[in-house]
Amino acid sequence: MSDVLNRDPGCLFCKITAGEIPSSKVYEDELCYAFYDIDPQAPTHFLVIPKEHIPSVAGVTAGNSAVVGHIFEVIAQVTRELGLDSYRVVSNIGEQAGQSVPHLHFHVLAGRDMTWPPG
Ligand code: AMP
Ligand code: ZN
């Protein structure tokens, strides 16, 4: 299965899913990987990423969008298992919005009061 995945060998998050860079795993299946953020912005802060290299939400197409629905199923399941009943899901697209790693990821943040709109 992993042989057919589109990976970018120079990508930080592709290296994490390949096990080349260590991470603190929250969840894994054949399509996606979840791990705690190295610089947490809330008491609970983890990232959920597709194993396939997709640069951002802007790279989601009819051909690869199934993994996005799957990731949201995983977010619902993992947050339930962690006992989180209120949380925020964020994806930054592009530099101006604050994206620093060009591999699609959804931040899941919980455990503190949040403001709106986000800064
Ligand atoms: P963004 O800035 O939205 O692209 O999110 C990228 C996130 O990846 C940031 O919150 C970083 O703290 C996080 N991050 C960067 N490197 C690592 C790493 N090696 N392990 C876990 N999280 C990381
Ligand atoms: Zn990647």
Side-chain angles (χ1 to χ4, degrees):
M1 180 73 184
S2 61
D3 290 346
V4 302
L5 282 173
N6 170 33
R7 282 197 159 103
D8 176 345
C11 168
L12 173 67
F13 285 177
C14 285
K15 288 180 181 169
I16 284 179
T17 62
E20 294 166 12
I21 290 177
S23 62
S24 182
K25 180 164 81 171
V26 179
Y27 172 90
E28 181 174 16
D29 62 28
E30 68 281 2
L31 294 176
C32 72
Y33 186 74
F35 57 107
Y36 286 105
D37 197 293
I38 204 167
D39 181 21
Q41 302 301 311
T44 299
H45 183 181
F46 61 89
L47 305 172
V48 190
I49 69 176
K51 288 188 171 176
E52 178 181 7
H53 181 82
I54 300 170
S56 76
V57 167
V60 174
T61 65
N64 65 20
S65 64
V67 72
V68 178
H70 177 72
I71 282 173
F72 275 83
E73 283 182 48
V74 167
I75 289 171
Q77 178 192 321
V78 171
T79 51
R80 209 179 298 122
E81 287 170 3
L82 293 174
L84 304 172
D85 58 7
S86 184
Y87 53 91
R88 183 169 288 176
V89 180
V90 177
S91 192
N92 299 317
I93 297 97
E95 270 181 44
Q96 189 176 30
Q99 184 178 12
S100 60
V101 179
H103 179 124
L104 178 64
H105 52 281
F106 295 91
H107 296 258
V108 180
L109 303 120
R112 64 165 171 80
D113 294 341
M114 308 230 177
T115 59
W116 190 263

